Amino acid sequence: MTGIGGGVELGAQAARSRALAVLRVRSRALAVALLPAAVAVILLAGGSTGHLVGGGWDAARWAVSVLALLVLAATAAVALVVARARPAVTPTVAVAEESAPDLYRMVRDLADRLDVPAPSAIALTPDCDSWLEDRTHPAHGPPPARDQDDLSDPVGPARRRSAAAPVLVIGSPFLWWMRVGELRAVLAPVVAGTGPAAHPDIAAARRFIRGLDAAVAATSTDGRGPLARAARGGIGRVSRLLLRGCRVHAAEMERGVAAAAAERAQAVDYGLRIVAQEQVGLAYAGWDRLLTRVALPAWRMGRWPSRLDVGVVAALTELSRRDRLAEGFASRLGERPACDLLEEPGLMDEAVSLLAARLFHGGPAETGPDWAPVGWEEYPEEVVDRAWRTDAARLHRVLDTLGVRRAAEDAAPGTDGPTLSRVLDHLTTTPAEAPVPARDPAADADPDATPDPDATPGTAHHATPGIGTATPDDQATSNPQAATASDPSDPQAATTPGPQPLTTPDDQATTAPAAPGSADHSDDGNGTEDDDDDLAGTTPRGAALAAGLSAQLAREEARTQALASGTAPPPPGTTTGPAATGTALWDDRALPLLPLQPPRTGREILTAHITAMVCCAAMDTAGATPGLDWLDGPTLLVDGARRADLALHVRSLVETGDPAPLRAWLSDLGVRPEKPVRLV
């Protein structure tokens, strides 16, 4: 214990010294601002006493006095903006004490064992991370009320300190996947950070840094006139200058605070923390797969899964079943889950699920006819089947605009409906047609270079997504910081105030996300070069069809955004969804704040639509059914078994125009491509 106490003391001393360095930057800035006023006072006093007389001194007195007044006015303006600017707040779902008394009791007991103040409140975030967040700014509202019989708050001064303590933000997947003991071990270094946060110097330094950061964000918007823009620009430049002066000291201060908190937390459940850390990584992996593979297709269809945290448990259980290294994790399911610490976990899961849809997809805050919750038992029918038939209908609408005949001249009566044969016949490449060649970077660099005749078209592009999915395999994570910030053994995780993309207003002042299928045309004005890259490795007919689908999706997305941004009242029967308490404290003008993936390429859109058409034909003519795979999302079930080999055959059709592999696959399943299918 002596070593632990020494480590805590050293970390705390380092943090306090860095906090004083931050405050010295503030004091020096104030001294510089007061320097002209001090000189003016000296000159005025010298003139009144008869020591500094003469025309030169009179001119100096006037000039310095005017300069002092201007500097004092500018200083007052900067101080006012810094004091009144509202620091960013992470979007969370507040957890009232009456709705989770056991959770509050566990956190307070943990704080007592660590000998630190208890957090003032608890909130949930749809992310695999946990942190402390200061919400004591007046713009954030009054502090939460405390019970009179609170054992951790027996006297008046202690009550005031507890009310000013930071809020404990917990990642909701931790509550549903982890056991109670594991959650306690993970939260130990986070709760330990309330001790350093209560130190006056550290608290003052943090308030100063947050005020400067909020001032920079507040002055980044354009003013209404040239004078306002000039004033905002000047205040912003001063705030940035002060931030640069504090940057190193602030980082070292937080590092010292985190080190002290981590050292203090080693005395609590140290052995269990090692086991819990394995669950942190596993929970993050399952949560990421669930969002990108399962939730995203539902959000695109206007449905938001109302039990995402329950789904992550199912996904991780499936991962444990498939992965030999995770076999031991399944035995944990017999222990008490941490979600039992909530009185109504279902309502909390629903609120967090709606917040996740807003943050990662940009969905509205209320449910309605076009934005309704969906349960996991309804997912195959409400999401998978509907998504496939919607994509298939869009595919045939684009074929109509391209003038593609619905049926061959010698086709049997009744086969002029939307058939899979129409798609296959149109995309079949004749010997006279050659695929669109892939771009050669070497040829771009050297105009005289010739393409390699042995190069395979399309090899530089992403693999085709799985059945019904719109994301490539192993999609990039939704929050790259969460993997490291949630590490209980990482000192930085103890006091880091949440992932920056959630809390930085500058990042929110962006334009609306690009429509699906659109590309970032940064090479020239019309984006021709990017479009060529997008469709390289496909056939000419496939490229034309992909371009039409991309344009159609862009129009639909623009129409949806126009309706979402309108001021018309909600349709009759619209009900208010689960409220994410505190949403008024963050700027939701540019959603999603954390989009899960970049826009799909034209080839990915074409592949997804052909896959959807094949699945519709299999369901209508061969008895296949839509299904849900917890790790891969929408899937096609044939005789109750998942068929994961469709993507390879669809890719062959898209890239080479050869339908033979896909026709053989259809024949093996008994699918009749000439029969019309039901569309939305």
PDB file of all heavy atoms in Angstrom, residues 163-196:
ATOM      1  N   ALA A 163     -22.446  17.956  -5.223  1.00  0.00           N
ATOM      2  CA  ALA A 163     -23.270  18.489  -6.308  1.00  0.00           C
ATOM      3  C   ALA A 163     -22.405  18.967  -7.463  1.00  0.00           C
ATOM      4  O   ALA A 163     -22.840  18.979  -8.604  1.00  0.00           O
ATOM      5  CB  ALA A 163     -24.140  19.625  -5.786  1.00  0.00           C
ATOM      6  N   ALA A 164     -21.178  19.398  -7.170  1.00  0.00           N
ATOM      7  CA  ALA A 164     -20.291  19.881  -8.216  1.00  0.00           C
ATOM      8  C   ALA A 164     -19.423  18.774  -8.797  1.00  0.00           C
ATOM      9  O   ALA A 164     -18.586  19.050  -9.647  1.00  0.00           O
ATOM     10  CB  ALA A 164     -19.395  20.992  -7.670  1.00  0.00           C
ATOM     11  N   ALA A 165     -19.571  17.549  -8.323  1.00  0.00           N
ATOM     12  CA  ALA A 165     -18.766  16.447  -8.834  1.00  0.00           C
ATOM     13  C   ALA A 165     -19.160  16.142 -10.276  1.00  0.00           C
ATOM     14  O   ALA A 165     -20.283  16.424 -10.701  1.00  0.00           O
ATOM     15  CB  ALA A 165     -18.952  15.206  -7.960  1.00  0.00           C
ATOM     16  N   PRO A 166     -18.269  15.558 -11.053  1.00  0.00           N
ATOM     17  CA  PRO A 166     -18.598  15.244 -12.453  1.00  0.00           C
ATOM     18  C   PRO A 166     -19.610  14.120 -12.561  1.00  0.00           C
ATOM     19  O   PRO A 166     -19.880  13.385 -11.598  1.00  0.00           O
ATOM     20  CB  PRO A 166     -17.245  14.843 -13.046  1.00  0.00           C
ATOM     21  CG  PRO A 166     -16.435  14.403 -11.882  1.00  0.00           C
ATOM     22  CD  PRO A 166     -16.876  15.226 -10.719  1.00  0.00           C
ATOM     23  N   VAL A 167     -20.176  13.994 -13.748  1.00  0.00           N
ATOM     24  CA  VAL A 167     -21.153  12.946 -14.045  1.00  0.00           C
ATOM     25  C   VAL A 167     -20.409  11.718 -14.551  1.00  0.00           C
ATOM     26  O   VAL A 167     -19.487  11.823 -15.361  1.00  0.00           O
ATOM     27  CB  VAL A 167     -22.173  13.442 -15.088  1.00  0.00           C
ATOM     28  CG1 VAL A 167     -23.114  12.317 -15.513  1.00  0.00           C
ATOM     29  CG2 VAL A 167     -22.959  14.618 -14.533  1.00  0.00           C
ATOM     30  N   LEU A 168     -20.809  10.558 -14.085  1.00  0.00           N
ATOM     31  CA  LEU A 168     -20.225   9.295 -14.540  1.00  0.00           C
ATOM     32  C   LEU A 168     -21.003   8.807 -15.754  1.00  0.00           C
ATOM     33  O   LEU A 168     -22.203   8.518 -15.663  1.00  0.00           O
ATOM     34  CB  LEU A 168     -20.279   8.250 -13.420  1.00  0.00           C
ATOM     35  CG  LEU A 168     -19.825   6.838 -13.793  1.00  0.00           C
ATOM     36  CD1 LEU A 168     -18.369   6.828 -14.233  1.00  0.00           C
ATOM     37  CD2 LEU A 168     -20.046   5.874 -12.631  1.00  0.00           C
ATOM     38  N   VAL A 169     -20.336   8.743 -16.893  1.00  0.00           N
ATOM     39  CA  VAL A 169     -20.943   8.275 -18.138  1.00  0.00           C
ATOM     40  C   VAL A 169     -20.469   6.839 -18.379  1.00  0.00           C
ATOM     41  O   VAL A 169     -19.269   6.574 -18.412  1.00  0.00           O
ATOM     42  CB  VAL A 169     -20.552   9.180 -19.325  1.00  0.00           C
ATOM     43  CG1 VAL A 169     -21.214   8.689 -20.608  1.00  0.00           C
ATOM     44  CG2 VAL A 169     -20.948  10.622 -19.046  1.00  0.00           C
ATOM     45  N   ILE A 170     -21.427   5.920 -18.532  1.00  0.00           N
ATOM     46  CA  ILE A 170     -21.128   4.492 -18.683  1.00  0.00           C
ATOM     47  C   ILE A 170     -21.607   4.032 -20.055  1.00  0.00           C
ATOM     48  O   ILE A 170     -22.719   4.360 -20.485  1.00  0.00           O
ATOM     49  CB  ILE A 170     -21.818   3.655 -17.580  1.00  0.00           C
ATOM     50  CG1 ILE A 170     -21.435   4.180 -16.195  1.00  0.00           C
ATOM     51  CG2 ILE A 170     -21.449   2.187 -17.706  1.00  0.00           C
ATOM     52  CD1 ILE A 170     -22.176   3.477 -15.069  1.00  0.00           C
ATOM     53  N   GLY A 171     -20.787   3.279 -20.753  1.00  0.00           N
ATOM     54  CA  GLY A 171     -21.204   2.691 -22.019  1.00  0.00           C
ATOM     55  C   GLY A 171     -22.278   1.641 -21.804  1.00  0.00           C
ATOM     56  O   GLY A 171     -22.093   0.703 -21.024  1.00  0.00           O
ATOM     57  N   SER A 172     -23.411   1.796 -22.466  1.00  0.00           N
ATOM     58  CA  SER A 172     -24.528   0.877 -22.246  1.00  0.00           C
ATOM     59  C   SER A 172     -24.198  -0.578 -22.587  1.00  0.00           C
ATOM     60  O   SER A 172     -24.697  -1.485 -21.913  1.00  0.00           O
ATOM     61  CB  SER A 172     -25.750   1.344 -23.039  1.00  0.00           C
ATOM     62  OG  SER A 172     -25.487   1.336 -24.434  1.00  0.00           O
ATOM     63  N   PRO A 173     -23.362  -0.882 -23.628  1.00  0.00           N
ATOM     64  CA  PRO A 173     -23.043  -2.299 -23.853  1.00  0.00           C
ATOM     65  C   PRO A 173     -22.364  -2.954 -22.663  1.00  0.00           C
ATOM     66  O   PRO A 173     -22.505  -4.167 -22.466  1.00  0.00           O
ATOM     67  CB  PRO A 173     -22.111  -2.249 -25.075  1.00  0.00           C
ATOM     68  CG  PRO A 173     -22.457  -0.985 -25.768  1.00  0.00           C
ATOM     69  CD  PRO A 173     -22.795  -0.026 -24.687  1.00  0.00           C
ATOM     70  N   PHE A 174     -21.633  -2.187 -21.854  1.00  0.00           N
ATOM     71  CA  PHE A 174     -21.007  -2.770 -20.669  1.00  0.00           C
ATOM     72  C   PHE A 174     -22.059  -3.285 -19.691  1.00  0.00           C
ATOM     73  O   PHE A 174     -21.885  -4.339 -19.078  1.00  0.00           O
ATOM     74  CB  PHE A 174     -20.127  -1.726 -19.971  1.00  0.00           C
ATOM     75  CG  PHE A 174     -18.918  -1.310 -20.760  1.00  0.00           C
ATOM     76  CD1 PHE A 174     -18.205  -0.178 -20.423  1.00  0.00           C
ATOM     77  CD2 PHE A 174     -18.491  -2.041 -21.859  1.00  0.00           C
ATOM     78  CE1 PHE A 174     -17.088   0.214 -21.144  1.00  0.00           C
ATOM     79  CE2 PHE A 174     -17.387  -1.666 -22.593  1.00  0.00           C
ATOM     80  CZ  PHE A 174     -16.681  -0.538 -22.236  1.00  0.00           C
ATOM     81  N   LEU A 175     -23.145  -2.529 -19.536  1.00  0.00           N
ATOM     82  CA  LEU A 175     -24.166  -2.931 -18.568  1.00  0.00           C
ATOM     83  C   LEU A 175     -24.832  -4.241 -18.977  1.00  0.00           C
ATOM     84  O   LEU A 175     -25.176  -5.057 -18.122  1.00  0.00           O
ATOM     85  CB  LEU A 175     -25.220  -1.834 -18.441  1.00  0.00           C
ATOM     86  CG  LEU A 175     -24.877  -0.647 -17.532  1.00  0.00           C
ATOM     87  CD1 LEU A 175     -25.947   0.420 -17.643  1.00  0.00           C
ATOM     88  CD2 LEU A 175     -24.742  -1.103 -16.097  1.00  0.00           C
ATOM     89  N   TRP A 176     -25.042  -4.443 -20.254  1.00  0.00           N
ATOM     90  CA  TRP A 176     -25.769  -5.649 -20.685  1.00  0.00           C
ATOM     91  C   TRP A 176     -24.847  -6.855 -20.866  1.00  0.00           C
ATOM     92  O   TRP A 176     -25.291  -7.974 -20.679  1.00  0.00           O
ATOM     93  CB  TRP A 176     -26.523  -5.353 -21.983  1.00  0.00           C
ATOM     94  CG  TRP A 176     -27.921  -4.888 -21.730  1.00  0.00           C
ATOM     95  CD1 TRP A 176     -29.063  -5.636 -21.800  1.00  0.00           C
ATOM     96  CD2 TRP A 176     -28.330  -3.575 -21.352  1.00  0.00           C
ATOM     97  NE1 TRP A 176     -30.146  -4.873 -21.494  1.00  0.00           N
ATOM     98  CE2 TRP A 176     -29.737  -3.601 -21.211  1.00  0.00           C
ATOM     99  CE3 TRP A 176     -27.658  -2.388 -21.107  1.00  0.00           C
ATOM    100  CZ2 TRP A 176     -30.471  -2.478 -20.849  1.00  0.00           C
ATOM    101  CZ3 TRP A 176     -28.387  -1.266 -20.744  1.00  0.00           C
ATOM    102  CH2 TRP A 176     -29.762  -1.315 -20.622  1.00  0.00           C
ATOM    103  N   TRP A 177     -23.597  -6.639 -21.217  1.00  0.00           N
ATOM    104  CA  TRP A 177     -22.720  -7.777 -21.448  1.00  0.00           C
ATOM    105  C   TRP A 177     -21.940  -8.165 -20.206  1.00  0.00           C
ATOM    106  O   TRP A 177     -21.741  -9.342 -19.936  1.00  0.00           O
ATOM    107  CB  TRP A 177     -21.763  -7.479 -22.590  1.00  0.00           C
ATOM    108  CG  TRP A 177     -20.727  -8.551 -22.798  1.00  0.00           C
ATOM    109  CD1 TRP A 177     -19.392  -8.447 -22.621  1.00  0.00           C
ATOM    110  CD2 TRP A 177     -20.968  -9.901 -23.190  1.00  0.00           C
ATOM    111  NE1 TRP A 177     -18.770  -9.631 -22.894  1.00  0.00           N
ATOM    112  CE2 TRP A 177     -19.722 -10.560 -23.249  1.00  0.00           C
ATOM    113  CE3 TRP A 177     -22.123 -10.623 -23.502  1.00  0.00           C
ATOM    114  CZ2 TRP A 177     -19.602 -11.893 -23.599  1.00  0.00           C
ATOM    115  CZ3 TRP A 177     -21.986 -11.960 -23.856  1.00  0.00           C
ATOM    116  CH2 TRP A 177     -20.747 -12.584 -23.897  1.00  0.00           C
ATOM    117  N   MET A 178     -21.493  -7.216 -19.427  1.00  0.00           N
ATOM    118  CA  MET A 178     -20.638  -7.504 -18.280  1.00  0.00           C
ATOM    119  C   MET A 178     -21.452  -7.972 -17.085  1.00  0.00           C
ATOM    120  O   MET A 178     -22.640  -7.665 -16.947  1.00  0.00           O
ATOM    121  CB  MET A 178     -19.816  -6.273 -17.899  1.00  0.00           C
ATOM    122  CG  MET A 178     -18.735  -5.917 -18.896  1.00  0.00           C
ATOM    123  SD  MET A 178     -17.730  -4.560 -18.293  1.00  0.00           S
ATOM    124  CE  MET A 178     -16.468  -4.525 -19.565  1.00  0.00           C
ATOM    125  N   ARG A 179     -20.774  -8.695 -16.235  1.00  0.00           N
ATOM    126  CA  ARG A 179     -21.356  -9.075 -14.955  1.00  0.00           C
ATOM    127  C   ARG A 179     -21.151  -7.924 -13.957  1.00  0.00           C
ATOM    128  O   ARG A 179     -20.373  -6.996 -14.194  1.00  0.00           O
ATOM    129  CB  ARG A 179     -20.726 -10.345 -14.423  1.00  0.00           C
ATOM    130  CG  ARG A 179     -20.694 -11.493 -15.407  1.00  0.00           C
ATOM    131  CD  ARG A 179     -22.093 -11.907 -15.859  1.00  0.00           C
ATOM    132  NE  ARG A 179     -22.455 -11.339 -17.164  1.00  0.00           N
ATOM    133  CZ  ARG A 179     -23.593 -11.569 -17.787  1.00  0.00           C
ATOM    134  NH1 ARG A 179     -24.509 -12.340 -17.240  1.00  0.00           N
ATOM    135  NH2 ARG A 179     -23.842 -11.017 -18.947  1.00  0.00           N
ATOM    136  N   VAL A 180     -21.830  -7.972 -12.833  1.00  0.00           N
ATOM    137  CA  VAL A 180     -21.768  -6.877 -11.866  1.00  0.00           C
ATOM    138  C   VAL A 180     -20.339  -6.655 -11.381  1.00  0.00           C
ATOM    139  O   VAL A 180     -19.853  -5.518 -11.308  1.00  0.00           O
ATOM    140  CB  VAL A 180     -22.714  -7.166 -10.679  1.00  0.00           C
ATOM    141  CG1 VAL A 180     -22.528  -6.107  -9.593  1.00  0.00           C
ATOM    142  CG2 VAL A 180     -24.161  -7.197 -11.138  1.00  0.00           C
ATOM    143  N   GLY A 181     -19.637  -7.731 -11.051  1.00  0.00           N
ATOM    144  CA  GLY A 181     -18.265  -7.592 -10.583  1.00  0.00           C
ATOM    145  C   GLY A 181     -17.341  -7.032 -11.645  1.00  0.00           C
ATOM    146  O   GLY A 181     -16.446  -6.232 -11.341  1.00  0.00           O
ATOM    147  N   GLU A 182     -17.531  -7.440 -12.886  1.00  0.00           N
ATOM    148  CA  GLU A 182     -16.699  -6.919 -13.969  1.00  0.00           C
ATOM    149  C   GLU A 182     -16.944  -5.432 -14.196  1.00  0.00           C
ATOM    150  O   GLU A 182     -16.004  -4.661 -14.416  1.00  0.00           O
ATOM    151  CB  GLU A 182     -16.978  -7.709 -15.247  1.00  0.00           C
ATOM    152  CG  GLU A 182     -16.575  -9.167 -15.169  1.00  0.00           C
ATOM    153  CD  GLU A 182     -17.094  -9.980 -16.337  1.00  0.00           C
ATOM    154  OE1 GLU A 182     -17.944  -9.456 -17.088  1.00  0.00           O
ATOM    155  OE2 GLU A 182     -16.667 -11.128 -16.509  1.00  0.00           O
ATOM    156  N   LEU A 183     -18.212  -5.007 -14.151  1.00  0.00           N
ATOM    157  CA  LEU A 183     -18.504  -3.589 -14.312  1.00  0.00           C
ATOM    158  C   LEU A 183     -17.889  -2.772 -13.185  1.00  0.00           C
ATOM    159  O   LEU A 183     -17.346  -1.685 -13.408  1.00  0.00           O
ATOM    160  CB  LEU A 183     -20.020  -3.373 -14.349  1.00  0.00           C
ATOM    161  CG  LEU A 183     -20.472  -1.921 -14.503  1.00  0.00           C
ATOM    162  CD1 LEU A 183     -20.056  -1.373 -15.865  1.00  0.00           C
ATOM    163  CD2 LEU A 183     -21.984  -1.799 -14.323  1.00  0.00           C
ATOM    164  N   ARG A 184     -17.940  -3.307 -11.986  1.00  0.00           N
ATOM    165  CA  ARG A 184     -17.338  -2.604 -10.855  1.00  0.00           C
ATOM    166  C   ARG A 184     -15.832  -2.434 -11.056  1.00  0.00           C
ATOM    167  O   ARG A 184     -15.270  -1.367 -10.791  1.00  0.00           O
ATOM    168  CB  ARG A 184     -17.629  -3.391  -9.571  1.00  0.00           C
ATOM    169  CG  ARG A 184     -17.027  -2.798  -8.309  1.00  0.00           C
ATOM    170  CD  ARG A 184     -17.225  -3.772  -7.149  1.00  0.00           C
ATOM    171  NE  ARG A 184     -16.631  -3.268  -5.931  1.00  0.00           N
ATOM    172  CZ  ARG A 184     -17.283  -2.565  -5.018  1.00  0.00           C
ATOM    173  NH1 ARG A 184     -18.562  -2.282  -5.189  1.00  0.00           N
ATOM    174  NH2 ARG A 184     -16.670  -2.149  -3.928  1.00  0.00           N
ATOM    175  N   ALA A 185     -15.189  -3.478 -11.558  1.00  0.00           N
ATOM    176  CA  ALA A 185     -13.747  -3.396 -11.789  1.00  0.00           C
ATOM    177  C   ALA A 185     -13.411  -2.411 -12.903  1.00  0.00           C
ATOM    178  O   ALA A 185     -12.408  -1.693 -12.836  1.00  0.00           O
ATOM    179  CB  ALA A 185     -13.198  -4.781 -12.118  1.00  0.00           C
ATOM    180  N   VAL A 186     -14.241  -2.355 -13.940  1.00  0.00           N
ATOM    181  CA  VAL A 186     -13.989  -1.429 -15.047  1.00  0.00           C
ATOM    182  C   VAL A 186     -14.193   0.019 -14.615  1.00  0.00           C
ATOM    183  O   VAL A 186     -13.463   0.924 -15.039  1.00  0.00           O
ATOM    184  CB  VAL A 186     -14.900  -1.788 -16.239  1.00  0.00           C
ATOM    185  CG1 VAL A 186     -14.894  -0.679 -17.275  1.00  0.00           C
ATOM    186  CG2 VAL A 186     -14.441  -3.084 -16.877  1.00  0.00           C
ATOM    187  N   LEU A 187     -15.179   0.255 -13.747  1.00  0.00           N
ATOM    188  CA  LEU A 187     -15.485   1.620 -13.329  1.00  0.00           C
ATOM    189  C   LEU A 187     -14.556   2.131 -12.240  1.00  0.00           C
ATOM    190  O   LEU A 187     -14.554   3.345 -11.968  1.00  0.00           O
ATOM    191  CB  LEU A 187     -16.937   1.700 -12.835  1.00  0.00           C
ATOM    192  CG  LEU A 187     -18.029   1.460 -13.871  1.00  0.00           C
ATOM    193  CD1 LEU A 187     -19.391   1.598 -13.227  1.00  0.00           C
ATOM    194  CD2 LEU A 187     -17.894   2.407 -15.050  1.00  0.00           C
ATOM    195  N   ALA A 188     -13.778   1.255 -11.619  1.00  0.00           N
ATOM    196  CA  ALA A 188     -12.939   1.687 -10.501  1.00  0.00           C
ATOM    197  C   ALA A 188     -11.977   2.815 -10.894  1.00  0.00           C
ATOM    198  O   ALA A 188     -11.935   3.854 -10.215  1.00  0.00           O
ATOM    199  CB  ALA A 188     -12.179   0.494  -9.922  1.00  0.00           C
ATOM    200  N   PRO A 189     -11.183   2.697 -11.952  1.00  0.00           N
ATOM    201  CA  PRO A 189     -10.283   3.810 -12.296  1.00  0.00           C
ATOM    202  C   PRO A 189     -11.014   5.050 -12.771  1.00  0.00           C
ATOM    203  O   PRO A 189     -10.476   6.157 -12.692  1.00  0.00           O
ATOM    204  CB  PRO A 189      -9.393   3.222 -13.397  1.00  0.00           C
ATOM    205  CG  PRO A 189     -10.194   2.142 -13.994  1.00  0.00           C
ATOM    206  CD  PRO A 189     -11.018   1.561 -12.886  1.00  0.00           C
ATOM    207  N   VAL A 190     -12.230   4.892 -13.280  1.00  0.00           N
ATOM    208  CA  VAL A 190     -12.993   6.060 -13.720  1.00  0.00           C
ATOM    209  C   VAL A 190     -13.516   6.831 -12.515  1.00  0.00           C
ATOM    210  O   VAL A 190     -13.377   8.063 -12.434  1.00  0.00           O
ATOM    211  CB  VAL A 190     -14.153   5.628 -14.645  1.00  0.00           C
ATOM    212  CG1 VAL A 190     -14.886   6.844 -15.191  1.00  0.00           C
ATOM    213  CG2 VAL A 190     -13.632   4.783 -15.786  1.00  0.00           C
ATOM    214  N   VAL A 191     -14.112   6.112 -11.564  1.00  0.00           N
ATOM    215  CA  VAL A 191     -14.634   6.771 -10.366  1.00  0.00           C
ATOM    216  C   VAL A 191     -13.502   7.393  -9.563  1.00  0.00           C
ATOM    217  O   VAL A 191     -13.664   8.449  -8.941  1.00  0.00           O
ATOM    218  CB  VAL A 191     -15.432   5.758  -9.524  1.00  0.00           C
ATOM    219  CG1 VAL A 191     -15.879   6.378  -8.202  1.00  0.00           C
ATOM    220  CG2 VAL A 191     -16.647   5.264 -10.310  1.00  0.00           C
ATOM    221  N   ALA A 192     -12.331   6.765  -9.573  1.00  0.00           N
ATOM    222  CA  ALA A 192     -11.203   7.322  -8.829  1.00  0.00           C
ATOM    223  C   ALA A 192     -10.809   8.696  -9.338  1.00  0.00           C
ATOM    224  O   ALA A 192     -10.155   9.461  -8.619  1.00  0.00           O
ATOM    225  CB  ALA A 192     -10.001   6.368  -8.917  1.00  0.00           C
ATOM    226  N   GLY A 193     -11.191   9.045 -10.548  1.00  0.00           N
ATOM    227  CA  GLY A 193     -10.858  10.356 -11.078  1.00  0.00           C
ATOM    228  C   GLY A 193     -11.624  11.496 -10.445  1.00  0.00           C
ATOM    229  O   GLY A 193     -11.274  12.668 -10.646  1.00  0.00           O
ATOM    230  N   THR A 194     -12.682  11.211  -9.663  1.00  0.00           N
ATOM    231  CA  THR A 194     -13.398  12.292  -8.991  1.00  0.00           C
ATOM    232  C   THR A 194     -12.559  12.930  -7.892  1.00  0.00           C
ATOM    233  O   THR A 194     -12.816  14.083  -7.519  1.00  0.00           O
ATOM    234  CB  THR A 194     -14.704  11.764  -8.388  1.00  0.00           C
ATOM    235  OG1 THR A 194     -14.403  10.726  -7.439  1.00  0.00           O
ATOM    236  CG2 THR A 194     -15.608  11.203  -9.464  1.00  0.00           C
ATOM    237  N   GLY A 195     -11.574  12.194  -7.354  1.00  0.00           N
ATOM    238  CA  GLY A 195     -10.713  12.770  -6.326  1.00  0.00           C
ATOM    239  C   GLY A 195      -9.893  13.933  -6.844  1.00  0.00           C
ATOM    240  O   GLY A 195      -9.988  15.064  -6.332  1.00  0.00           O
ATOM    241  N   PRO A 196      -9.065  13.733  -7.880  1.00  0.00           N
ATOM    242  CA  PRO A 196      -8.329  14.878  -8.433  1.00  0.00           C
ATOM    243  C   PRO A 196      -9.238  15.973  -8.979  1.00  0.00           C
ATOM    244  O   PRO A 196      -8.885  17.154  -8.952  1.00  0.00           O
ATOM    245  CB  PRO A 196      -7.494  14.249  -9.551  1.00  0.00           C
ATOM    246  CG  PRO A 196      -7.375  12.812  -9.185  1.00  0.00           C
ATOM    247  CD  PRO A 196      -8.652  12.466  -8.495  1.00  0.00           C
TER     248      PRO A 196
END
